[in-house]
Amino acid sequence: MTLKTGLLATGSALVLFGLAVSAQAQTQTPTADSHDAVSEVVVTAQRLNEARQSIEPSLGASTYTVTNAMIQAQPGGDNQQLNQVVLQLPGVVQDSFGQIHVRDDHNGIQYRINGVILPEGISVFGQTLSPRLVDRLDLITGALPAQYGLQTAGIIDVTTKSGLENGGVASIYGGSHGTYEPSIEYGGHSGNTNFYVSGEFRRTQLGIESPDGSNTPAHDRADEGNLFVYIDHTIGASDRISFIGGYSNDRFQIPNTPGLQPSLGLNVNGITNSPSDLLNETQREITGYAIGSWLHDGGNYTVQTSLFSRYSTLDFRPSADLGDLLYTGISQNALKRDTAFGLQTEGVYKLTPDHTLRGGIIIQGERATSDTASQVLPTDDTGAQTSNVPETILDNGGKTQFTYSVYLQDEWKLLSNLTLNYGLRGDVLNSYRNESQLSPRANLVWIPLPGATIHAGYARYFNPPPFELVASPTVAKFQNTTAASEVTADTVPKAERQNYYDIGGEQKLLHGRLTLGVDVWYRKSQNLIDEGQFGAPIILTPFNYEKGLIFGQEFTANYSEGPLTLYANFTHERAQGKDIDSSQFNFSAADLAYISRNYIYLDHDQTYTGSAGGSYLIRDGAIGGTRVGFDMLYGSGLRRDQDLPDGSSVPNGAHVASYVTVNLTASHHFDLPYAGHVDVRFDVVNVANKIYEIRDGTGVGVGAPQFGAGRGFFGGISKTF
């Protein structure tokens, strides 16, 4: 294993850490001939990997890279969930339900595996991808080149482990909150075929954030299983076919806030009271995906064609005792299914020494269905209950969507130190609405001095609303019931259209050991997309602000020398919207009226966000092989409603309290004579046991309070085989 130090950058890409890992196969074989054959396979595989990566460089965008070695050095290592890894990157904000926000966008994150788009699923709590399968993760954001579209807040591109080394790892990890997490990985090669598989199971009694700040919330167990498979086969020196498959099956209890009684004054079958401790809501999320790809490298050109598919379901079940009906006026079974499939063909062609052309076609189809059965109580025109016998309202529906995208761009080397990447992208949406847009993109990258890079870019974006979440209840069916909406308008969500401007730079100092970076962005949106949780099921619903403004600045620093690595990031940003012009039935008339006249902060806006961390590897002596490290998060607080003296409130006018959490880790690598390689680790999460709110239950589209996890102690052991 070869270690490289320094900032990983493409063009003007700003990269978070200073340590990267490039794995090379090391195999003990009995003959020189077999060794040469294996070496040839490895060299060919690495060359084809480089050819694939040349199709989609992030020229002019900000790219932050995490390698598997960096993940292992963090508290929790690859036993943590993927969102925890991404939270250490600049401009990424923590939210409840495991959600993350990049540069103050609510969602807008596109996941790719080995460069191939992974369609968005329905899951709210679950993490479809595990850090365990990651060889390298790139977060690409800013003014993106033309190959990236439809979800543009950030591109999370995962390069998977590929099995160039024969062997596996079995591990067990666990600790506080009843956490128990066994896992196994295995990879290898046979002839021209490489493979890698991983599987894990995670059980915890803190599956979703605590609603009351306790370390052991009632009714909060989660069981999460995850499988992943990668196989590739090299055909000659220029072609490779590959398959990627994954499956996750996650079950969650919805945690209860103890000691509450219903406050709506409803009567259900003669029952008016029901302790909140006895509520038994659950949610199950299943996702499966498959990707088949063919890669051809023709020397001065490379083409990759992929077929991809994804199936996901979300099944919310309320308390069987109709306790939800007493608390919220509705008890709803909700089952959502979504199936996506598509074709992605992209290529790069070296036209001249100064011009490199890239282009692609992406076609995606998607079918979503929603089946709900709601128990409600009848009311009169004044809203007064007229019967204590629940009524059942069935509201089922389905829709098919297609998106068509094409792009062409040119990387033009104007001077030896000046590059212009310009292009045009076209997107067509056939869905609840038929919309389209041509989107120009341009990025200029200048290297004025050795170690210094400056970039500036503009991008026009076209972002459809998340199709799998758009289906809404038929508002008229719920009139004169306890689930009636105050507002009956229900405009279908629209595609967001953005003008995005970005400028930034980086400077390497101390012979490359220290790298400083800054990036500034400004975004003006029409029909800005946001999402909220408005009903009892934990399912997010998209809506639009007619106008949106988002801007911010990122500052990054990293230092790497020998066994020591350090990094720090700080972001200031602001996101505001005005006039809600879709899905209006989810809001009160007073909120709609206020927001129609005033810009308000978006509920997921956090003014200041910071992260930092580091690790040190002790190489020699009695404790040689020991690594110690830390990471930390700072947030100034997500938005909440601001209460006014007259009893009214300003939507999202205030924020919850700021917080800082620090995590510690220590691990040791043993080379045992008879047991082989064994690694042990010990992690402490939230060392100071900081009790902090992520949400307080108020704000636009905010459901219930959620608190961050308290102090936890975890340990694990893993063995190679």
Side-chain angles (χ1 to χ4, degrees):
M1 189 164 287
T2 303
L3 299 183
K4 299 180 181 178
T5 59
L7 188 70
L8 298 174
T10 300
S12 64
L14 301 176
V15 180
L16 171 63
F17 304 106
L19 177 64
V21 177
S22 63
Q24 300 178 351
Q26 301 175 359
T27 307
Q28 294 183 355
T29 53
T31 67
D33 289 343
S34 61
H35 177 78
D36 292 342
V38 171
S39 298
E40 182 179 350
V41 170
V42 171
V43 170
T44 301
Q46 291 175 337
R47 181 177 60 78
L48 290 175
N49 286 342
E50 293 170 358
R52 182 192 69 209
Q53 293 167 2
S54 72
I55 295 174
E56 49 175 1
S58 53
L59 294 169
S62 298
T63 301
Y64 304 98
T65 297
V66 183
T67 66
N68 182 264
M70 299 172 192
I71 293 173
Q72 298 293 353
Q74 293 179 351
D78 55 14
N79 302 287
Q80 61 186 318
Q81 296 192 307
L82 190 66
N83 62 333
Q84 297 298 319
V85 175
V86 180
L87 276 174
Q88 289 298 315
L89 300 175
V92 182
V93 172
Q94 175 181 220
D95 202 345
S96 56
F97 305 151
Q99 296 178 85
I100 56 175
H101 307 293
V102 177
R103 291 193 171 183
D104 255 354
D105 200 294
H106 179 85
N107 197 344
I109 299 174
Q110 181 182 104
Y111 288 86
R112 294 187 172 210
I113 303 179
N114 294 343
V116 183
I117 295 170
L118 180 63
E120 191 173 5
I122 308 176
S123 62
V124 177
F125 307 127
Q127 300 286 311
T128 302
L129 300 177
S130 166
R132 216 172 300 281
L133 61 88
V134 174
D135 183 62
R136 168 180 168 141
L137 180 149
D138 294 309
L139 171 62
I140 308 167
T141 187
L144 302 175
Q147 68 257 39
Y148 301 114
L150 303 184
Q151 291 93 28
T152 54
I155 311 298
I156 296 179
D157 195 352
V158 174
T159 301
T160 67
K161 297 175 182 177
S162 60
L164 290 180
E165 295 186 16
N166 285 308
V169 180
S171 68
I172 182 71
Y173 185 79
S176 298
H177 318 302
T179 302
Y180 170 76
E181 185 176 349
S183 65
I184 189 167
E185 301 175 72
Y186 188 76
H189 57 265
S190 176
N192 291 340
T193 301
N194 303 304
F195 67 93
Y196 168 80
V197 296
S198 68
E200 62 186 65
F201 172 79
R202 178 175 180 263
R203 169 169 290 179
T204 176
Q205 300 299 328
L206 187 62
I208 305 173
E209 291 87 356
S210 171
D212 59 358
S214 66
N215 257 356
T216 55
H219 197 261
D220 198 11
R221 194 177 92 176
D223 293 328
E224 302 170 78
N226 193 299
L227 295 172
F228 177 80
V229 177
Y230 173 86
I231 304 171
D232 72 49
H233 179 74
T234 302
I235 306 170
S238 302
D239 296 272
R240 181 173 67 192
I241 56 175
S242 61
F243 171 80
I244 295 170
Y247 177 78
S248 61
N249 190 331
D250 306 326
R251 298 172 182 265
F252 301 92
Q253 294 178 330
I254 309 301
N256 301 332
T257 302
L260 301 181
Q261 286 287 349
S263 61
L264 297 180
L266 299 178
N267 183 315
V268 179
N269 296 326
I271 299 173
T272 58
N273 290 320
S274 178
S276 58
D277 308 59
L278 301 181
L279 291 175
N280 186 27
E281 299 173 338
T282 62
Q283 188 153 300
R284 183 180 183 184
E285 301 174 3
I286 296 175
T287 299
Y289 57 90
I291 299 170
S293 299
W294 168 57
L295 175 71
H296 176 72
D297 179 27
N300 62 342
Y301 72 93
T302 302
V303 177
Q304 178 168 275
T305 297
S306 303
L307 296 173
F308 56 84
S309 64
R310 191 263 305 126
Y311 171 78
S312 65
T313 66
L314 185 151
D315 186 3
F316 174 85
R317 301 193 177 187
S319 287
D321 61 0
L322 298 181
D324 297 54
L325 185 52
L326 286 170
Y327 279 91
T328 65
I330 184 172
S331 178
Q332 184 178 85
N333 282 277
L335 175 61
K336 297 179 74 72
R337 301 183 186 89
D338 188 272
T339 302
F341 51 89
L343 167 71
Q344 179 179 343
T345 296
E346 297 178 303
V348 56
Y349 177 62
K350 188 74 173 179
L351 182 64
T352 70
D354 296 330
H355 290 272
T356 301
L357 301 181
R358 294 179 175 87
I361 298 174
I362 303 100
I363 301 172
Q364 181 175 319
E366 195 165 354
R367 175 68 180 176
T369 61
S370 177
D371 300 328
T372 64
S374 304
Q375 298 285 312
V376 297
L377 294 169
T379 64
D380 59 23
D381 292 339
T382 67
Q385 180 180 345
T386 59
S387 171
N388 66 6
V389 179
E391 297 179 352
T392 300
I393 296 178
L394 301 178
D395 193 17
N396 305 328
K399 184 69 175 177
T400 300
Q401 169 180 283
F402 282 94
T403 58
Y404 308 90
S405 303
V406 60
Y407 70 87
L408 181 66
Q409 58 188 355
D410 176 26
E411 179 187 341
W412 182 8
K413 198 169 186 63
L414 300 170
L415 300 170
S416 61
N417 64 345
L418 184 64
T419 301
L420 173 66
N421 190 66
Y422 64 98
L424 185 66
R425 180 185 178 96
D427 295 293
V428 175
L429 171 68
N430 293 334
S431 184
Y432 292 94
R433 293 177 177 274
N434 294 330
E435 302 181 82
S436 62
Q437 180 174 287
L438 287 175
S439 304
R441 313 281 180 89
N443 282 287
L444 194 65
V445 180
W446 180 39
I447 304 176
L449 298 169
T453 304
I454 298 173
H455 75 272
Y458 164 78
R460 176 73 171 162
Y461 290 145
F462 174 79
N463 303 129
F467 171 71
E468 71 283 356
L469 301 178
V470 168
S472 59
T474 306
V475 178
K477 287 187 176 183
F478 292 89
Q479 296 309 303
N480 293 323
T481 75
T482 49
S485 300
E486 180 183 354
V487 176
T488 58
D490 183 18
T491 305
V492 174
K494 310 166 188 177
E496 179 178 355
R497 303 169 191 267
Q498 304 177 25
N499 289 303
Y500 197 109
Y501 306 88
D502 184 281
I503 186 170
E506 66 174 27
Q507 177 67 60
K508 294 182 179 181
L509 303 169
L510 303 178
H511 303 288
R513 295 190 296 271
L514 174 65
T515 304
L516 304 177
V518 61
D519 201 270
V520 180
W521 72 90
Y522 173 82
R523 161 183 155 192
K524 186 174 183 179
S525 296
Q526 178 184 1
N527 297 321
L528 183 148
I529 296 173
D530 201 351
E531 298 175 16
Q533 188 223 324
F534 298 101
I538 314 299
I539 300 173
L540 300 180
T541 301
F543 62 94
N544 297 99
Y545 291 92
E546 198 274 329
K547 297 178 181 179
L549 293 173
I550 298 179
F551 62 86
Q553 308 89 40
E554 288 173 357
F555 304 91
T556 64
N558 73 81
Y559 178 84
S560 177
E561 183 176 17
L564 175 66
T565 63
L566 297 168
Y567 67 89
N569 311 293
F570 184 78
T571 304
H572 165 259
E573 53 196 348
R574 189 172 78 180
Q576 293 182 307
K578 180 181 180 183
D579 193 10
I580 293 173
D581 60 355
S582 67
S583 303
Q584 298 93 333
F585 71 96
N586 291 297
F587 303 90
S588 69
D591 281 354
L592 287 175
Y594 183 90
I595 299 169
S596 70
R597 302 187 303 268
N598 302 277
Y599 274 94
I600 67 166
Y601 287 98
L602 306 188
D603 69 282
H604 54 269
D605 172 79
Q606 182 165 266
T607 305
Y608 301 108
T609 302
S611 61
S615 67
Y616 184 82
L617 175 63
I618 302 172
R619 294 174 172 173
D620 303 309
I623 58 173
T626 298
R627 183 185 295 275
V628 294
F630 78 99
D631 65 28
M632 62 176 291
L633 283 178
Y634 162 74
S636 62
L638 298 176
R639 310 306 299 188
R640 61 178 297 273
D641 288 345
Q642 178 185 12
D643 296 325
L644 299 178
D646 63 1
S648 63
S649 63
V650 176
N652 300 339
H655 62 83
V656 300
S658 62
Y659 62 89
V660 175
T661 61
V662 179
N663 309 316
L664 301 178
T665 184
S667 61
H668 186 79
H669 177 76
F670 294 92
D671 287 318
L672 303 179
Y674 301 104
H677 301 302
V678 176
D679 291 271
V680 297
R681 68 180 307 125
F682 179 70
D683 304 304
V684 185
V685 174
N686 194 353
V687 174
N689 197 30
K690 171 69 174 179
I691 306 301
Y692 65 98
E693 277 188 317
I694 301 175
R695 296 286 194 180
D696 77 343
T698 70
V700 175
V702 177
Q706 289 100 24
F707 287 78
R711 183 190 296 124
F713 300 94
F714 303 89
I717 183 170
S718 61
K719 182 184 181 305
T720 59
F721 60 89

PDB file of all heavy atoms in Angstrom, residues 28-52:
ATOM      1  N   GLN A  28       1.693 -13.072  -3.352  1.00  0.00           N
ATOM      2  CA  GLN A  28       2.772 -14.041  -3.315  1.00  0.00           C
ATOM      3  C   GLN A  28       2.376 -15.219  -4.192  1.00  0.00           C
ATOM      4  O   GLN A  28       1.378 -15.877  -3.948  1.00  0.00           O
ATOM      5  CB  GLN A  28       3.027 -14.505  -1.882  1.00  0.00           C
ATOM      6  CG  GLN A  28       3.550 -13.381  -0.997  1.00  0.00           C
ATOM      7  CD  GLN A  28       3.860 -13.857   0.400  1.00  0.00           C
ATOM      8  OE1 GLN A  28       3.606 -15.008   0.729  1.00  0.00           O
ATOM      9  NE2 GLN A  28       4.425 -12.996   1.211  1.00  0.00           N
ATOM     10  N   THR A  29       3.140 -15.461  -5.246  1.00  0.00           N
ATOM     11  CA  THR A  29       2.814 -16.522  -6.182  1.00  0.00           C
ATOM     12  C   THR A  29       4.025 -17.410  -6.378  1.00  0.00           C
ATOM     13  O   THR A  29       5.178 -16.987  -6.230  1.00  0.00           O
ATOM     14  CB  THR A  29       2.391 -15.934  -7.533  1.00  0.00           C
ATOM     15  OG1 THR A  29       3.407 -15.035  -7.986  1.00  0.00           O
ATOM     16  CG2 THR A  29       1.090 -15.172  -7.414  1.00  0.00           C
ATOM     17  N   PRO A  30       3.814 -18.660  -6.741  1.00  0.00           N
ATOM     18  CA  PRO A  30       4.912 -19.613  -6.792  1.00  0.00           C
ATOM     19  C   PRO A  30       5.825 -19.441  -7.991  1.00  0.00           C
ATOM     20  O   PRO A  30       6.953 -19.892  -7.972  1.00  0.00           O
ATOM     21  CB  PRO A  30       4.196 -20.968  -6.843  1.00  0.00           C
ATOM     22  CG  PRO A  30       2.844 -20.664  -7.405  1.00  0.00           C
ATOM     23  CD  PRO A  30       2.505 -19.312  -6.919  1.00  0.00           C
ATOM     24  N   THR A  31       5.354 -18.804  -9.100  1.00  0.00           N
ATOM     25  CA  THR A  31       6.187 -18.713 -10.290  1.00  0.00           C
ATOM     26  C   THR A  31       6.214 -17.292 -10.806  1.00  0.00           C
ATOM     27  O   THR A  31       5.302 -16.500 -10.595  1.00  0.00           O
ATOM     28  CB  THR A  31       5.648 -19.622 -11.411  1.00  0.00           C
ATOM     29  OG1 THR A  31       4.390 -19.114 -11.849  1.00  0.00           O
ATOM     30  CG2 THR A  31       5.470 -21.049 -10.912  1.00  0.00           C
ATOM     31  N   ALA A  32       7.287 -16.975 -11.533  1.00  0.00           N
ATOM     32  CA  ALA A  32       7.410 -15.643 -12.122  1.00  0.00           C
ATOM     33  C   ALA A  32       6.356 -15.417 -13.178  1.00  0.00           C
ATOM     34  O   ALA A  32       5.832 -14.315 -13.334  1.00  0.00           O
ATOM     35  CB  ALA A  32       8.808 -15.461 -12.719  1.00  0.00           C
ATOM     36  N   ASP A  33       6.010 -16.467 -13.937  1.00  0.00           N
ATOM     37  CA  ASP A  33       5.006 -16.311 -14.988  1.00  0.00           C
ATOM     38  C   ASP A  33       3.671 -15.899 -14.410  1.00  0.00           C
ATOM     39  O   ASP A  33       3.006 -14.994 -14.918  1.00  0.00           O
ATOM     40  CB  ASP A  33       4.854 -17.622 -15.775  1.00  0.00           C
ATOM     41  CG  ASP A  33       6.074 -17.907 -16.640  1.00  0.00           C
ATOM     42  OD1 ASP A  33       6.849 -16.963 -16.877  1.00  0.00           O
ATOM     43  OD2 ASP A  33       6.238 -19.075 -17.061  1.00  0.00           O
ATOM     44  N   SER A  34       3.239 -16.574 -13.329  1.00  0.00           N
ATOM     45  CA  SER A  34       1.953 -16.217 -12.744  1.00  0.00           C
ATOM     46  C   SER A  34       2.002 -14.829 -12.136  1.00  0.00           C
ATOM     47  O   SER A  34       1.027 -14.083 -12.173  1.00  0.00           O
ATOM     48  CB  SER A  34       1.532 -17.255 -11.703  1.00  0.00           C
ATOM     49  OG  SER A  34       2.477 -17.306 -10.651  1.00  0.00           O
ATOM     50  N   HIS A  35       3.146 -14.450 -11.570  1.00  0.00           N
ATOM     51  CA  HIS A  35       3.286 -13.103 -11.017  1.00  0.00           C
ATOM     52  C   HIS A  35       3.146 -12.055 -12.116  1.00  0.00           C
ATOM     53  O   HIS A  35       2.466 -11.044 -11.955  1.00  0.00           O
ATOM     54  CB  HIS A  35       4.632 -12.962 -10.319  1.00  0.00           C
ATOM     55  CG  HIS A  35       4.889 -11.587  -9.779  1.00  0.00           C
ATOM     56  ND1 HIS A  35       4.316 -11.142  -8.614  1.00  0.00           N
ATOM     57  CD2 HIS A  35       5.627 -10.559 -10.273  1.00  0.00           C
ATOM     58  CE1 HIS A  35       4.690  -9.896  -8.386  1.00  0.00           C
ATOM     59  NE2 HIS A  35       5.490  -9.525  -9.382  1.00  0.00           N
ATOM     60  N   ASP A  36       3.790 -12.308 -13.277  1.00  0.00           N
ATOM     61  CA  ASP A  36       3.678 -11.374 -14.394  1.00  0.00           C
ATOM     62  C   ASP A  36       2.243 -11.268 -14.879  1.00  0.00           C
ATOM     63  O   ASP A  36       1.770 -10.183 -15.235  1.00  0.00           O
ATOM     64  CB  ASP A  36       4.577 -11.817 -15.546  1.00  0.00           C
ATOM     65  CG  ASP A  36       6.062 -11.683 -15.190  1.00  0.00           C
ATOM     66  OD1 ASP A  36       6.363 -10.957 -14.228  1.00  0.00           O
ATOM     67  OD2 ASP A  36       6.888 -12.327 -15.867  1.00  0.00           O
ATOM     68  N   ALA A  37       1.529 -12.399 -14.911  1.00  0.00           N
ATOM     69  CA  ALA A  37       0.135 -12.375 -15.364  1.00  0.00           C
ATOM     70  C   ALA A  37      -0.723 -11.542 -14.434  1.00  0.00           C
ATOM     71  O   ALA A  37      -1.557 -10.741 -14.875  1.00  0.00           O
ATOM     72  CB  ALA A  37      -0.409 -13.798 -15.467  1.00  0.00           C
ATOM     73  N   VAL A  38      -0.530 -11.728 -13.125  1.00  0.00           N
ATOM     74  CA  VAL A  38      -1.297 -10.947 -12.158  1.00  0.00           C
ATOM     75  C   VAL A  38      -0.957  -9.468 -12.279  1.00  0.00           C
ATOM     76  O   VAL A  38      -1.833  -8.604 -12.261  1.00  0.00           O
ATOM     77  CB  VAL A  38      -1.024 -11.459 -10.725  1.00  0.00           C
ATOM     78  CG1 VAL A  38      -1.636 -10.512  -9.702  1.00  0.00           C
ATOM     79  CG2 VAL A  38      -1.584 -12.856 -10.550  1.00  0.00           C
ATOM     80  N   SER A  39       0.335  -9.150 -12.429  1.00  0.00           N
ATOM     81  CA  SER A  39       0.737  -7.753 -12.568  1.00  0.00           C
ATOM     82  C   SER A  39       0.101  -7.119 -13.790  1.00  0.00           C
ATOM     83  O   SER A  39      -0.325  -5.964 -13.765  1.00  0.00           O
ATOM     84  CB  SER A  39       2.261  -7.657 -12.650  1.00  0.00           C
ATOM     85  OG  SER A  39       2.853  -8.142 -11.465  1.00  0.00           O
ATOM     86  N   GLU A  40       0.041  -7.891 -14.891  1.00  0.00           N
ATOM     87  CA  GLU A  40      -0.563  -7.357 -16.106  1.00  0.00           C
ATOM     88  C   GLU A  40      -2.039  -7.052 -15.898  1.00  0.00           C
ATOM     89  O   GLU A  40      -2.552  -6.024 -16.364  1.00  0.00           O
ATOM     90  CB  GLU A  40      -0.394  -8.356 -17.246  1.00  0.00           C
ATOM     91  CG  GLU A  40      -0.955  -7.859 -18.574  1.00  0.00           C
ATOM     92  CD  GLU A  40      -0.758  -8.859 -19.697  1.00  0.00           C
ATOM     93  OE1 GLU A  40      -0.025  -9.846 -19.486  1.00  0.00           O
ATOM     94  OE2 GLU A  40      -1.345  -8.644 -20.771  1.00  0.00           O
ATOM     95  N   VAL A  41      -2.756  -7.944 -15.175  1.00  0.00           N
ATOM     96  CA  VAL A  41      -4.165  -7.706 -14.885  1.00  0.00           C
ATOM     97  C   VAL A  41      -4.335  -6.431 -14.070  1.00  0.00           C
ATOM     98  O   VAL A  41      -5.206  -5.597 -14.341  1.00  0.00           O
ATOM     99  CB  VAL A  41      -4.781  -8.911 -14.154  1.00  0.00           C
ATOM    100  CG1 VAL A  41      -6.166  -8.571 -13.634  1.00  0.00           C
ATOM    101  CG2 VAL A  41      -4.840 -10.122 -15.071  1.00  0.00           C
ATOM    102  N   VAL A  42      -3.473  -6.263 -13.057  1.00  0.00           N
ATOM    103  CA  VAL A  42      -3.575  -5.089 -12.193  1.00  0.00           C
ATOM    104  C   VAL A  42      -3.305  -3.814 -12.974  1.00  0.00           C
ATOM    105  O   VAL A  42      -4.032  -2.824 -12.878  1.00  0.00           O
ATOM    106  CB  VAL A  42      -2.603  -5.216 -11.005  1.00  0.00           C
ATOM    107  CG1 VAL A  42      -2.550  -3.908 -10.229  1.00  0.00           C
ATOM    108  CG2 VAL A  42      -3.013  -6.359 -10.101  1.00  0.00           C
ATOM    109  N   VAL A  43      -2.247  -3.803 -13.799  1.00  0.00           N
ATOM    110  CA  VAL A  43      -1.907  -2.620 -14.579  1.00  0.00           C
ATOM    111  C   VAL A  43      -3.033  -2.271 -15.548  1.00  0.00           C
ATOM    112  O   VAL A  43      -3.414  -1.107 -15.696  1.00  0.00           O
ATOM    113  CB  VAL A  43      -0.582  -2.848 -15.330  1.00  0.00           C
ATOM    114  CG1 VAL A  43      -0.345  -1.724 -16.336  1.00  0.00           C
ATOM    115  CG2 VAL A  43       0.579  -2.924 -14.349  1.00  0.00           C
ATOM    116  N   THR A  44      -3.598  -3.294 -16.219  1.00  0.00           N
ATOM    117  CA  THR A  44      -4.702  -3.043 -17.148  1.00  0.00           C
ATOM    118  C   THR A  44      -5.906  -2.467 -16.412  1.00  0.00           C
ATOM    119  O   THR A  44      -6.545  -1.519 -16.883  1.00  0.00           O
ATOM    120  CB  THR A  44      -5.101  -4.339 -17.871  1.00  0.00           C
ATOM    121  OG1 THR A  44      -3.968  -4.845 -18.577  1.00  0.00           O
ATOM    122  CG2 THR A  44      -6.239  -4.096 -18.843  1.00  0.00           C
ATOM    123  N   ALA A  45      -6.235  -3.039 -15.237  1.00  0.00           N
ATOM    124  CA  ALA A  45      -7.374  -2.553 -14.463  1.00  0.00           C
ATOM    125  C   ALA A  45      -7.178  -1.104 -14.046  1.00  0.00           C
ATOM    126  O   ALA A  45      -8.095  -0.287 -14.134  1.00  0.00           O
ATOM    127  CB  ALA A  45      -7.593  -3.441 -13.240  1.00  0.00           C
ATOM    128  N   GLN A  46      -5.962  -0.774 -13.594  1.00  0.00           N
ATOM    129  CA  GLN A  46      -5.704   0.601 -13.176  1.00  0.00           C
ATOM    130  C   GLN A  46      -5.771   1.562 -14.361  1.00  0.00           C
ATOM    131  O   GLN A  46      -6.278   2.680 -14.246  1.00  0.00           O
ATOM    132  CB  GLN A  46      -4.346   0.681 -12.484  1.00  0.00           C
ATOM    133  CG  GLN A  46      -4.321  -0.029 -11.125  1.00  0.00           C
ATOM    134  CD  GLN A  46      -2.950  -0.050 -10.502  1.00  0.00           C
ATOM    135  OE1 GLN A  46      -1.948   0.067 -11.198  1.00  0.00           O
ATOM    136  NE2 GLN A  46      -2.895  -0.218  -9.193  1.00  0.00           N
ATOM    137  N   ARG A  47      -5.275   1.138 -15.529  1.00  0.00           N
ATOM    138  CA  ARG A  47      -5.329   2.003 -16.705  1.00  0.00           C
ATOM    139  C   ARG A  47      -6.771   2.244 -17.136  1.00  0.00           C
ATOM    140  O   ARG A  47      -7.154   3.367 -17.487  1.00  0.00           O
ATOM    141  CB  ARG A  47      -4.532   1.362 -17.852  1.00  0.00           C
ATOM    142  CG  ARG A  47      -4.508   2.215 -19.118  1.00  0.00           C
ATOM    143  CD  ARG A  47      -3.662   1.578 -20.193  1.00  0.00           C
ATOM    144  NE  ARG A  47      -4.157   0.273 -20.562  1.00  0.00           N
ATOM    145  CZ  ARG A  47      -5.207   0.067 -21.363  1.00  0.00           C
ATOM    146  NH1 ARG A  47      -5.883   1.097 -21.847  1.00  0.00           N
ATOM    147  NH2 ARG A  47      -5.592  -1.153 -21.678  1.00  0.00           N
ATOM    148  N   LEU A  48      -7.604   1.199 -17.085  1.00  0.00           N
ATOM    149  CA  LEU A  48      -9.002   1.374 -17.446  1.00  0.00           C
ATOM    150  C   LEU A  48      -9.735   2.241 -16.423  1.00  0.00           C
ATOM    151  O   LEU A  48     -10.643   3.000 -16.773  1.00  0.00           O
ATOM    152  CB  LEU A  48      -9.683   0.011 -17.587  1.00  0.00           C
ATOM    153  CG  LEU A  48      -9.237  -0.825 -18.800  1.00  0.00           C
ATOM    154  CD1 LEU A  48      -9.889  -2.204 -18.772  1.00  0.00           C
ATOM    155  CD2 LEU A  48      -9.555  -0.116 -20.108  1.00  0.00           C
ATOM    156  N   ASN A  49      -9.349   2.142 -15.150  1.00  0.00           N
ATOM    157  CA  ASN A  49      -9.934   3.029 -14.139  1.00  0.00           C
ATOM    158  C   ASN A  49      -9.615   4.491 -14.463  1.00  0.00           C
ATOM    159  O   ASN A  49     -10.478   5.373 -14.361  1.00  0.00           O
ATOM    160  CB  ASN A  49      -9.401   2.684 -12.752  1.00  0.00           C
ATOM    161  CG  ASN A  49     -10.002   1.411 -12.192  1.00  0.00           C
ATOM    162  OD1 ASN A  49     -11.037   0.948 -12.667  1.00  0.00           O
ATOM    163  ND2 ASN A  49      -9.354   0.837 -11.198  1.00  0.00           N
ATOM    164  N   GLU A  50      -8.363   4.752 -14.836  1.00  0.00           N
ATOM    165  CA  GLU A  50      -7.973   6.118 -15.184  1.00  0.00           C
ATOM    166  C   GLU A  50      -8.717   6.595 -16.424  1.00  0.00           C
ATOM    167  O   GLU A  50      -9.116   7.764 -16.513  1.00  0.00           O
ATOM    168  CB  GLU A  50      -6.463   6.174 -15.400  1.00  0.00           C
ATOM    169  CG  GLU A  50      -5.660   5.938 -14.119  1.00  0.00           C
ATOM    170  CD  GLU A  50      -4.176   5.758 -14.391  1.00  0.00           C
ATOM    171  OE1 GLU A  50      -3.790   5.781 -15.591  1.00  0.00           O
ATOM    172  OE2 GLU A  50      -3.406   5.581 -13.433  1.00  0.00           O
ATOM    173  N   ALA A  51      -8.911   5.697 -17.396  1.00  0.00           N
ATOM    174  CA  ALA A  51      -9.656   6.074 -18.601  1.00  0.00           C
ATOM    175  C   ALA A  51     -11.095   6.426 -18.252  1.00  0.00           C
ATOM    176  O   ALA A  51     -11.656   7.401 -18.777  1.00  0.00           O
ATOM    177  CB  ALA A  51      -9.614   4.932 -19.610  1.00  0.00           C
ATOM    178  N   ARG A  52     -11.717   5.647 -17.360  1.00  0.00           N
ATOM    179  CA  ARG A  52     -13.091   5.946 -16.945  1.00  0.00           C
ATOM    180  C   ARG A  52     -13.167   7.286 -16.242  1.00  0.00           C
ATOM    181  O   ARG A  52     -14.073   8.095 -16.490  1.00  0.00           O
ATOM    182  CB  ARG A  52     -13.598   4.843 -16.009  1.00  0.00           C
ATOM    183  CG  ARG A  52     -15.044   5.023 -15.558  1.00  0.00           C
ATOM    184  CD  ARG A  52     -15.371   4.087 -14.418  1.00  0.00           C
ATOM    185  NE  ARG A  52     -14.654   4.463 -13.214  1.00  0.00           N
ATOM    186  CZ  ARG A  52     -14.279   3.599 -12.268  1.00  0.00           C
ATOM    187  NH1 ARG A  52     -14.516   2.314 -12.414  1.00  0.00           N
ATOM    188  NH2 ARG A  52     -13.645   4.022 -11.199  1.00  0.00           N
TER     189      ARG A  52
END
